[in-house]
Amino acid sequence: MLMTKMLILFAHPALDKSRIHRRLIRAVPELSGITVHDLYDTYPDFDIDVAREQELLLSHDLIILQHPFYWYSTPAIIKQWEDLVLEHGWAYGAQGTALRGKRLLSLISTGGPADAYRRDGYNRFTMRDLLAPIEQTAYLCGMEYLPPYLIQGTHRMDEAEIEREVGRYRQLLSLLHAGRIDLEAARGQASLNLALDKLIGQEVPE
Ligand SMILES: Cc1cc2nc3c(=O)[nH]c(=O)nc-3n(C[C@H](O)[C@H](O)[C@H](O)COP(=O)(O)O)c2cc1C
């Protein structure tokens, strides 16, 4: 069976203080074709190796930007990565076709709960609204931007809830890797969580 080659671009500037991502990143299934790339660990001085990053992108089909939500956006290194790696003539522009046909997924945790991210919620914008710059960046590069996968309300999560999220995350990655999530059907949805919920309960891959 053809497996999806997945690159997890992971960005957390203070992993020692993390409750969620430290657990998630340790739980990534050890499957060939899933690469974890920790940006803060690799580039503590933000001195990004553009050629290496471009090689990594070329050798994967699904790029996952995994990070905590910081000030309604990504941690800073992801911006730096975009600014340097997505070069004109490579990622976009008339000759810039390197990323065409690949998929991009944001996998984000937010301290605020899901209902805060509504027009009538205290954050006033939906996650899709706030992620528009990344969605449009993907579009400009000819990539399909998938609905984000969201872990929300992390401030109030207790140990059991975190454990449950870690399990769901593992399942998500395994199912994406096996091409078992119907990404066409998920298109246009607020998040990928619903697609995962539909699959879990039917069958759990290991
Ligand atoms: C600098 C900073 C900015 C943050 N900005 C937001 C934000 O804009 N919206 C939000 O819901 N949570 C925000 N948070 C909360 C984090 O998203 C939350 O603590 C994180 O997702 C939990 O993951 P972790 O335990 O791996 O750090 C912020 C936290 C920090 C430290």
Side-chain angles (χ1 to χ4, degrees):
M1 206 197 321
L2 203 58
M3 295 295 172
T4 306
K5 296 194 78 184
M6 294 160 43
L7 174 64
I8 301 176
L9 291 177
F10 175 57
H12 196 303
L15 210 49
D16 52 323
K17 297 201 187 91
S18 160
R19 294 174 67 228
I20 309 296
H21 289 273
R22 191 159 41 136
R23 301 274 296 277
L24 297 179
I25 213 71
R26 279 197 207 134
V28 174
E30 285 188 21
L31 297 169
S32 82
I34 301 185
T35 307
V36 177
H37 184 37
D38 183 337
L39 291 175
Y40 278 100
D41 188 51
T42 313
Y43 305 115
D45 301 321
F46 276 44
D47 192 7
I48 289 177
D49 181 340
V50 172
R52 175 185 180 191
E53 294 304 311
Q54 291 181 346
E55 274 305 311
L56 275 171
L57 288 172
L58 286 177
S59 58
H60 294 85
D61 315 308
L62 171 62
I63 315 303
I64 300 180
L65 291 177
Q66 178 180 334
H67 59 88
F69 212 35
Y70 276 8
W71 290 112
Y72 307 105
S73 183
T74 67
I77 205 165
I78 291 187
K79 185 64 170 61
Q80 175 82 343
W81 179 93
E82 289 172 322
D83 295 353
L84 297 181
V85 177
L86 304 179
E87 288 179 320
H88 180 260
W90 187 80
Y92 70 100
Q95 313 295 321
T97 57
L99 300 176
R100 275 202 198 154
K102 296 185 187 292
R103 288 179 157 133
L104 186 68
L105 170 68
S106 290
L107 195 155
I108 298 176
S109 64
T110 71
D115 63 9
Y117 287 93
R118 294 197 320 223
R119 298 282 160 87
D120 60 351
Y122 68 76
N123 284 323
R124 305 196 303 129
F125 295 91
T126 67
M127 289 299 292
R128 287 305 293 250
D129 291 336
L130 295 165
L131 292 170
I134 295 182
E135 176 167 357
Q136 176 55 22
T137 298
Y139 179 81
L140 187 73
C141 298
M143 302 175 84
E144 181 186 1
Y145 188 67
L146 300 175
Y149 182 78
L150 304 172
I151 299 175
Q152 300 196 276
T154 61
H155 287 325
R156 295 189 172 194
M157 273 185 192
D158 61 21
E159 180 53 34
E161 284 165 313
I162 294 174
E163 197 56 46
R164 191 175 145 264
E165 289 296 342
V166 171
R168 284 168 51 85
Y169 169 84
R170 266 182 77 83
Q171 287 179 318
L172 174 77
L173 294 181
S174 301
L175 289 164
L176 284 170
H177 181 253
R180 299 259 316 279
I181 295 193
D182 187 349
L183 298 175
E184 310 295 323
R187 197 176 280 165
Q189 288 184 354
S191 75
L192 209 59
N193 298 53
L194 195 64
L196 179 66
D197 289 341
K198 274 191 193 153
L199 273 174
I200 297 178
Q202 288 174 17
E203 196 181 336
V204 180
E206 208 14 80

